[in-house]
């Protein structure tokens, strides 16, 4: 087995643009779940409307990329309002039901033949990120150290994505340590106590839902731009549960939790993938036990086992506090 290849693949994935996108989406989810106590099971829906806001604006209507970004953000705000207005006055599970349903309804709607003239249907949309790569200041070459190397296009996308992550994390850190942040954390602990102090719990929950959804839409836009393509089936409910894994792994209610969680999640996932394929190729693992096509499922099973162990021995995550995992879901 070539351990150098296995480790380099894990590092490349852990700090790559996809990890940055998931870190950004998880920051929004952490604002919902970790800080406010909102059970949002449809963060992928915000990613979907953000991605298609950019893709459809540029590819279908020929608008500039920056206009598509604004449309994607606007779409996420509208979606948050549609989900939050009827549910945030009710118990937490109603928001959970509404968000997971919205994610799947939107995915099926965007891939439908009725929406195909705008969204491309099951085929999606391609090559709408030309403006983004045209301003790439990095000369065409391959960059990196050791076996961890990126093309200039990937390095540009990686740099922008991680810059967005750090900027967003900084803004969230300022917010959660402000009076506004103290209110949403108090809502997570005891809504009735917050109401007794004259604060509008409904308004603060709505603000958190809108802001976290907007951050999720930014992640969807960046994922679409990095891939230069968008397809509805890439935004299925599994993505949201990956994001919850990332939040729990890093530590809910911690600014750096989603960032650490995303890096570790993708590094570990890729490590298992590369290690299993190398082991099968070298004959250490019989193809009758695990075949190459089964590696994808087995790696998720191993990550799931690791998450179960984490929940048993350190349920607050790597950076979290046990108190941050206590959620009043009344």
């Amino acid at each position: 087995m070539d351990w150098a290849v296995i480790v380099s693949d894990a590092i490349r994935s852990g700090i790559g643009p996809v990890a940055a996108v998931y870190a950004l989406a998880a920051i929004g989810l952490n604002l919902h779940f970790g800080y406010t106590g909102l059970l949002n099971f449809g963060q992928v829906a915000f990613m979907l409307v953000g991605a298609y806001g950019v893709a459809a604006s540029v590819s279908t209507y020929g608008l500039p990329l920056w206009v598509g970004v604004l449309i994607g953000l606007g779409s996420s705000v509208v979606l948050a309002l549609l989900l939050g207005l009827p549910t945030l006055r009710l118990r937490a599970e109603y928001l959970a039901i509404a968000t997971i349903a919205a994610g799947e309804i939107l995915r099926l709607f965007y891939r439908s033949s009725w929406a195909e003239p705008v969204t491309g249907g099951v085929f999606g949309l391609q090559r709408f990120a030309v403006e983004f790569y045209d301003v790439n200041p990095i000369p065409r070459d391959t960059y990196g150290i050791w076996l961890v190397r990126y093309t200039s296009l990937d390095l540009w996308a990686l740099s922008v994505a991680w810059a967005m992550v750090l900027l967003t994390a900084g803004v969230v850190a300022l917010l959660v340590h402000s009076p506004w942040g103290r209110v949403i954390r108090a809502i997570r602990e005891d809504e009735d106590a917050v109401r007794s102090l004259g604060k509008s719990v409904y308004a603060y929950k709505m603000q958190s839902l809108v802001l976290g959804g907007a951050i999720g839409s930014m992640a969807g836009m960046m994922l679409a731009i990095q891939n230069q393509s968008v397809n509805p089936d890439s935004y299925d409910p599994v993505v949201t549960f990956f994001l919850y894994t990332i939040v729990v792994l890093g530590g809910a209610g911690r600014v750096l939790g989603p960032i650490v969680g995303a890096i570790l999640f993708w590094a570990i996932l890729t490590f298992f993938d590369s290690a299993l394929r190398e082991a099968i190729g070298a004959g250490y693992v019989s193809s009758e036990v695990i075949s190459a096509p089964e590696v994808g499922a087995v790696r998720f099973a191993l990550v799931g086992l690791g998450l179960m162990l984490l929940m048993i021995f350190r349920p607050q995550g790597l950076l979290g506090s046990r108190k941050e995992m206590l959620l009043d879901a009344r």
Side-chain angles (χ1 to χ4, degrees), residues 129-163:
V130 175
E131 290 182 56
F132 175 80
Y133 288 104
D134 281 346
V135 297
N136 179 11
I138 304 172
R140 289 186 176 274
D141 203 346
T142 302
Y143 301 87
I145 55 174
W146 190 41
L147 298 177
V148 182
R149 308 192 68 82
Y150 300 94
T151 66
S152 61
L153 297 181
D154 285 339
L155 187 60
W156 171 235
L158 180 153
S159 301
V160 172
W162 280 113

Side-chain angles (χ1 to χ4, degrees), residues 183 187 190-204:
V183 172
I187 290 171
D190 192 335
E191 290 185 16
D192 293 334
V194 176
R195 288 192 185 95
S196 70
L197 296 174
K199 300 294 185 181
S200 174
V201 171
Y202 177 72
Y204 278 93

Side-chain angles (χ1 to χ4, degrees), residues 67-136:
V67 175
V69 170
L70 294 179
I71 291 174
L73 287 171
S75 300
S76 70
V77 172
V78 171
L79 177 60
L81 292 174
L82 289 174
L83 293 174
L85 287 173
T87 62
L88 289 180
R89 293 187 187 276
L90 305 174
R91 292 182 308 192
E93 57 265 29
Y94 290 99
L95 177 64
I97 294 168
T99 50
I100 195 171
E104 192 64 2
I105 289 169
L106 285 171
R107 183 183 71 84
L108 295 174
F109 172 75
Y110 276 65
R111 78 191 302 275
S112 68
S113 57
W114 187 86
E116 186 171 349
V118 176
T119 65
V122 295
F123 303 104
L125 300 170
Q126 293 82 32
R127 300 198 58 81
F128 45 81
V130 175
E131 290 182 56
F132 175 80
Y133 288 104
D134 281 346
V135 297
N136 179 11

Side-chain angles (χ1 to χ4, degrees), residues 262-287:
I263 293 172
L264 290 177
F265 176 78
W266 285 106
I268 293 170
L269 198 65
T270 305
F271 177 86
F272 282 138
D273 186 278
S274 297
L276 286 171
R277 294 185 189 280
E278 287 282 334
I280 293 171
Y284 294 118
V285 177
S286 171
S287 59

